[in-house]
Amino acid sequence: MTNYALPVNDKDISKAKTFYDLICWGGLLIVLLPVGIANVILGYFMGDSPCTLCWGQRQEMAYIGVVALFMVRYGFKPKYLATMLVMAAVGLYMSFRHYGNHAMRDVGQGFGLDVFGIHTQFWAEIVFWCVVFLFGLAVYLAPRFDALVAEFKGKAFRPMTKFNRVAFGIVTAIIASNCFQALWSTGVPPFWGQGDPVRFSFNPKYVIWSSDSWEGMWSGIDFLGKRNVKDPDFAYKPNAAKLGIEFKHDAADAPVKLTGALSIANIRPIEGVDAKVNTISKINGQYLIGSKYSFWALDESLKPVVSAAYDPWYSANVLDLVAITPYKDDAFILMGSNKSLLRARLTPNGDDVKNWGNFTAGRTQVEHVGGLGRARVGTERAKFSYVHSAASDGRYVYTATVPDNRNKKTFVISKALMSDWMLSGEFVPSADLKEGRTLGELYVTGMVYENGSLFAVSKNHNVLVEIDVAAEKVVNAWSIPAELTDVRGLVKTGDTFEVVDTNRIVTLKK
């Protein structure tokens, strides 16, 4: 522990000089290496032209280097260290934001040039973490702070050594060169660069000055961006207002042209379940229903014989239960609205301890299957959409997107191989649509697979459509009586269909 009661000696002054030299090296290297190499070698010699985010990251590096040299000239001050940390934090955000646009691309894909197999946007992430680590280490190893002041010998600022002058000169030259490159390739305000810049050239005819990026800049700041998708509309938690959807139940107003009509053949109430049922399926001749994180197996009188609930947060989070679909043998898939799932089966001899992680209730009546039981289906076209249905054909599991507050036009069918849960295909079905309408208006809340077709029921507009998977086309569309206002789930037996509507199983026939 430093004893500040003792006077500063020559050894302390020597340590202070060494500390300032290290800070000078740090400021020089962060400008010389990432900023200088990017500017001179990648820019002038290899034609790499920074995008808007690249320029932002490069600026933060330059600011950190300059502040380090301020510290060398005017001494160690808390505000200089604070400024460096703030600049590093901003730089980390910008590089993370940039890298996030490309992180999930296939191997070899990226943006701009790569160095040692790593693209420049990720090098920025590395550089800013190095700044946090190395300057933090330098401060940790710094001499006593009064020695950093005593080293000034009463002067207003530190005298420049030859090394300091060289470092200041190099940093000045590199920053000046970057200023020239920025002004030459991106222009003066209001021009501010491009998201996808062409390669750098000294020939003016190849230079593009653009202000297009200002468009929409002040239309609203959303911290979640594309991921600010509101929860789907559930039976137990209606969410039409936040989704910006007005559910209609007149099939005549459906976006797709109808080819037939379904009528109500029977209505049977579900007994002994107080929760609002969100989905229904029939597996191995037995009805399974679900609500939020709970699910039940029903007997022939539609009373629960098995009652269980899963933990939504254990391992892969499985959000609100939207579908129960066949898996292997007697097992089934509990599909969450976020396309994460839990594989399970009913059993009369469940192990309470083994099932503790996956289930919060019914652990002696149900068990998970397949490792931890959890899996995720990653998609591309449906990445920023929730689902409210799923179906399986024994090899693939299919999901269908629902419209939300950000996207009410696109309707995507995704399929994943159930042996590894990897995405195998996606398509936007074609259909015989009314003028100016899209399948994205449908709100599919139940789906089953049979003989190469997906049958999907929509709460919005009360229609049931048949989608030919091979042709990727809606081939039939039937109306559902408007008196059913909350159709969810789907069971198909021959030419009859069953849905759940306000805790009633409704049989529909052609």
Side-chain angles (χ1 to χ4, degrees):
M1 180 178 292
T2 302
N3 186 354
Y4 284 93
L6 297 176
V8 174
N9 55 39
D10 290 342
K11 186 177 181 180
D12 295 326
I13 297 296
S14 177
K15 288 181 178 180
K17 292 181 181 294
T18 302
F19 172 78
Y20 283 122
D21 284 343
L22 290 174
I23 295 298
C24 188
W25 272 111
L28 171 62
L29 292 178
I30 194 174
V31 175
L32 178 64
L33 297 180
V35 179
I37 290 174
N39 172 232
V40 179
I41 298 178
L42 301 185
Y44 296 148
F45 289 97
M46 301 182 68
D48 183 54
S49 189
C51 69
T52 305
L53 285 171
C54 289
W55 273 123
Q57 294 159 64
R58 198 181 292 188
Q59 283 177 260
E60 298 306 318
M61 295 178 194
Y63 296 155
I64 291 171
V66 169
V67 171
L69 296 186
F70 267 60
M71 193 180 295
V72 171
R73 183 59 167 164
Y74 300 108
F76 181 86
K77 297 178 181 179
K79 63 182 179 182
Y80 291 154
L81 179 61
T83 301
M84 291 170 64
L85 291 175
V86 170
M87 293 298 103
V90 174
L92 281 169
Y93 165 76
M94 299 177 82
S95 57
F96 181 76
R97 167 73 174 80
H98 199 179
Y99 178 65
N101 291 340
H102 309 279
M104 299 307 294
R105 298 192 186 280
D106 286 9
V107 63
Q109 296 178 351
F111 183 89
L113 300 175
D114 64 83
V115 180
F116 301 122
I118 300 177
H119 287 271
T120 50
Q121 64 267 15
F122 190 68
W123 274 114
E125 187 82 4
I126 295 172
V127 168
F128 288 118
W129 278 117
C130 287
V131 168
V132 174
F133 175 77
L134 294 177
F135 278 96
L137 183 63
V139 173
Y140 178 79
L141 298 175
R144 51 190 293 180
F145 284 179
D146 53 355
L148 297 176
V149 176
E151 196 263 350
F152 274 57
K153 296 181 179 179
K155 297 181 180 179
F157 45 79
R158 298 183 65 251
M160 298 275 281
T161 66
K162 184 177 181 180
F163 168 59
N164 295 154
R165 292 190 181 93
V166 171
F168 276 61
I170 292 174
V171 169
T172 300
I174 292 175
I175 291 178
S177 179
N178 274 273
C179 290
F180 164 75
Q181 184 184 12
L183 291 172
W184 180 264
S185 63
T186 68
V188 296
F191 303 109
W192 77 327
Q194 307 156 60
D196 295 287
V198 298
R199 61 185 178 276
F200 180 83
S201 174
F202 285 105
N203 190 329
K205 73 176 183 179
Y206 299 126
V207 176
I208 298 175
W209 287 11
S210 173
S211 59
D212 292 344
S213 296
W214 285 112
E215 185 177 351
M217 175 62 65
W218 310 112
S219 60
I221 298 175
D222 192 333
F223 178 75
L224 295 177
K226 294 181 180 179
R227 296 185 180 274
N228 189 10
V229 179
K230 304 303 180 184
D231 290 341
D233 179 86
F234 301 117
Y236 44 82
K237 186 182 178 182
N239 205 28
K242 288 185 178 180
L243 293 171
I245 297 174
E246 181 183 354
F247 288 108
K248 301 177 180 178
H249 306 293
D250 184 359
D253 189 43
V256 63
K257 295 180 180 179
L258 302 175
T259 58
L262 299 177
S263 60
I264 298 175
N266 193 15
I267 297 178
R268 295 174 292 166
I270 297 172
E271 305 287 348
V273 176
D274 295 329
K276 293 184 178 180
V277 177
N278 197 54
T279 187
I280 186 172
S281 64
K282 198 171 188 178
I283 300 175
N284 296 326
Q286 186 172 36
Y287 288 111
L288 295 174
I289 60 174
S291 177
K292 201 171 178 61
Y293 311 132
S294 301
F295 57 100
W296 299 264
L298 307 180
D299 61 14
E300 293 182 358
S301 62
L302 303 187
K303 295 180 179 179
V305 292
V306 173
S307 177
Y310 66 84
D311 180 352
W313 309 118
Y314 167 69
S315 185
N317 65 320
V318 181
L319 298 185
D320 305 66
L321 179 59
V322 295
I324 305 173
T325 190
Y327 179 49
K328 293 179 180 179
D329 301 324
D330 58 346
F332 49 85
I333 298 168
L334 301 169
M335 179 65 72
S337 61
N338 60 339
K339 301 182 286 286
S340 290
L341 57 97
L342 171 60
R343 292 155 288 180
R345 69 159 58 95
L346 303 180
T347 175
N349 302 305
D351 187 326
D352 177 71
V353 175
K354 177 183 176 182
N355 294 322
W356 172 262
N358 274 309
F359 301 100
T360 59
R363 289 186 293 276
T364 60
Q365 298 177 298
V366 66
E367 64 183 7
H368 64 269
V369 298
L372 293 177
R374 309 265 175 148
R376 302 179 181 91
V377 175
T379 61
E380 290 297 329
R381 288 185 174 90
K383 187 178 293 294
F384 299 108
S385 296
Y386 286 115
V387 301
H388 202 302
S389 60
S392 59
D393 62 4
R395 187 181 184 193
Y396 296 101
V397 63
Y398 298 84
T399 59
T401 60
V402 289
D404 53 60
N405 54 300
R406 299 186 65 90
N407 187 350
K408 296 180 177 63
K409 294 183 178 181
T410 307
F411 177 70
V412 178
I413 300 292
S414 306
K415 72 173 185 177
L417 192 64
M418 290 195 292
S419 60
D420 58 12
W421 306 106
M422 296 290 288
L423 183 68
S424 297
E426 289 181 308
F427 64 92
V428 177
S430 60
D432 188 5
L433 295 169
K434 298 174 184 177
E435 186 176 356
R437 308 294 290 277
T438 72
L439 284 178
E441 298 176 42
L442 300 182
Y443 203 93
V444 173
T445 52
M447 190 162 61
V448 293
Y449 177 93
E450 184 178 89
N451 299 329
S453 290
L454 288 170
F455 294 85
V457 64
S458 171
K459 172 182 174 176
N460 201 19
H461 302 299
N462 278 35
V463 293
L464 191 151
V465 298
E466 178 186 357
I467 303 169
D468 186 315
V469 175
E472 300 181 357
K473 180 179 180 180
V474 174
V475 293
N476 283 301
W478 299 277
S479 66
I480 296 175
E483 63 188 85
L484 303 180
T485 59
D486 196 29
V487 293
R488 297 178 188 273
L490 187 63
V491 174
K492 185 178 187 299
T493 306
D495 289 334
T496 65
F497 298 92
E498 291 174 300
V499 296
V500 64
D501 177 79
T502 59
N503 284 36
R504 304 171 301 162
I505 295 179
V506 181
T507 303
L508 303 167
K509 66 178 183 179
K510 297 181 182 178

